Amino acid sequence: MKKLTLLTLACSMTILSFAAGGNITYVLNGGVTNDYGWTSKADMLVGLNQDYNTKYSIAQTATWYTWETLDVILATSDPVTRIPTFATSMWGAITTPKWQWLHDLIVANVTEQGVAAIAEAENAYWRYNVSAFFINGMRASWPASANYIFAGQPDAFMAAWKHGFAGPASYDGSKQVALPEPYKEGSTFDGWYETVDFQGSKLTSIPAGAEGDKTLYAKWINYIPTIKEVKALTIGTSTQVRGVVRYINETTAYIQDVTGGLMVEFTTAPNPVLVSGDKVTLSGTTASIGTYVKLTGATVTAKETASLPLQSVTLAALTGATPNPALYMFESVKIEGVKVTANANGILTLTDDASNTITMATTPASVLPAGTKISLTAVVNYDNKVTLVGYSKDIIPAPVPRPEPATYTAKAEGKYSLENKWLVSAKMDNLSANQIHSASQMVRGMTAKDGKMYFIERGLEQLTVVDGVTGQKLTPIKLSSNIFKHTYKDVNGNDSIGDAGLLKFNDIKQDAAGNILVGNLIDSNARAFQVWKINLADGTGTLVVDEILKSNPDFAEAVVRFDAFGVYGDVNNNAVIMAANASAMEAYKWTITGGVTGQAEAIGIATNEGTLLTGLTNPGTAPQIFPIDENYFYLDGNATLPTLIDMAGNAVDGFFNVTTEGQNWWSLNTTTNKKVVNGNRAGHNGLIEFELGGENFFLIASNNTVGNPPSSFTLFKWANANKEFSEIEELWTFPQAGMGATSNPYRTAVPSVETDEQNKIAKLYLYTGENGYGVYEFKINDGSGVEDVNNSVIKVSVNNKTLNMNQTVAAVDVYTAAGQLVVKAKNTSSVNILSNGVFLVKTTTLEGKTEVHKVIVK
């Protein structure tokens, strides 16, 4: 025991010695760091937050707003949208002496990269450019920022702000400590040394396990121009340049620093030998190649190992309708989801989904056959036209739709099973290679029909079509240009045709007859709300709903926003179309009779105690609505959970009635005595009821992007045809890892279902905006004891208070929705009901088959 104690003590002393570290002294030799103590961009962001508060928040509101820290921001799914989340005067904050360099850097990058400039008073423009700068990224959608993936690195912006990052004052020896570079105008930093005469090895970090105080000396050499500066030199100028080798083939290399890329030609094979990843200093002479600049007669004067971040681009950015290849010329880029359409001895012809094409020379010659979908890393090249060059090893078959790795345990002793057929998601590695949109936030709805998924694509004004069996994209359906047009009256009373709504092609639904319908988004009662029926053969449309609510005196002052719509019935005959108001607790209803659409009716939605609607002033962002018959509809907004509501606006049922142990969908706020949604159950909006094998099921979008798992769905089973939430059973939540956590501000997460009664199989089609789509197969297995019910045998119709069957049945039992028996008869084809309401009709045929129907007696 004594020896063990001594040994333990010795080990403890060794660990303490190992982790002792020391202080660090920097001898800058004329260089500078900064006057603010910044050691990283994280420090800079804190400083900007403080200065913003001093200038605006404290001065105007006496409230201090603390932004998220950079490490938190970078861990989010869409970090460029989060810095800072509520700074409304960013331009003013960075047009100060301390931050003017950042303002000027943004202007320079936007101008150089051809990003559409927005007025300096436009906060979003400045906020997203500042955000992109801090995260070393970019924002592609409006308001687009410049690309700071390279321009945001220290080497690129030091010259702009004439400072460097301050190094750590000490280290503890427990981990490697990176050393930042100082700045000296007119000189190039050539590394840290531990000797005053710069003998020994150059240091880029202090390794783990180091001990003792350190004195580091900054070595400066004559200024070496950046690649951007070399490209601006007169042709025929001798110069030095420094960069990282991205690709080399015999006597031609491509190098890159954070300011750009450069083609380099050596007279003979370079000595020392260069490989990708070497940081080299070169001497050579500028020459022209088309409209671009290269370096010829190059020789190597120094090399070391380094790395640079990689930027992703689309093929359209290089060869599309409005390309900007100069922005990426001779730089290394990553391109995803293109197809090899030809291979001529290793010269690949690559084509994207929009038919943009480029060729790529591969080393060694690639053997990939035509038809292969790939992702690649390559260098943008110029040889009479824009091309790519790269290593074959950096080309990989692009991730394709495929089953998720998870499996799902069968339920009810094998009675119910669930299997993923294929999935495309942000959680897997295959979403970017299989996108269904032209840009983010352009697809906000999906429905499935005859084994195909139809997505409404707002940017391209089309239906993107995906094969439900394989997950492969099919030929899209271009929609006619007259869809979502409305005839307005101009000031002179003449007809004028213009766009309908705020956003066209915003939602898609399917009616009971299989008609595909598309709807727009309106944000005021002065905009025309429209729903169109689409001819899938040619993309033409038939107008179903077209109304400006402000034209109706009843709604002249209404404040409305419709993001989506719902449908019940057949729009060619009798149907109901509804829209939930995102601005108030109300819904709007259009009744279609004989194919003719009536005017809108408003339904106020009660927010009485005891439901999850209690106290709400609106249902939350982008609410979805689902009428299930003439009397009831589901409302699902991001502030609540799916709630069943009658046409009088009363909450009839919902998750507030779920009491089964382990199904915590709501909890009681003991302070307010109100039921509230638990965790992240609210957020995404979408649901569908379906029947299979005589049993009833409920599939909903159950977790949003910050839920666990993020962007997921849950399948439930109702206890019986009453479909009461108090007796609902939770089966599975899927995908097991979720679809992803990418921002989905429009909250779309919609399921669609197709059933095969003969085989008792339901195909579950899922889509979550920005995060993925896929197909699952739910099955009621043979031998489970489920009775084979054919619900198409008996038809029940209502005539006043008489229920008529289409044939004589052996027995009929009629129950209220609460389960109370009200009528019982045998060997009859009709029964009479004494009151109005919703009833369940259980029939037994003369052959002994039992069916259950829901009817409404008015």
Side-chain angles (χ1 to χ4, degrees), residues 581-592:
N581 188 359
S583 300
M585 290 303 292
E586 59 184 16
Y588 285 74
K589 173 185 174 184
W590 290 262
T591 300
I592 299 173

Side-chain angles (χ1 to χ4, degrees), residues 238-258:
S238 296
T239 184
Q240 283 189 299
V241 70
R242 178 179 285 181
V244 176
V245 177
R246 289 297 202 172
Y247 173 80
I248 184 167
N249 185 14
E250 298 179 347
T251 58
T252 302
Y254 298 83
I255 67 170
Q256 190 171 338
D257 68 8
V258 291

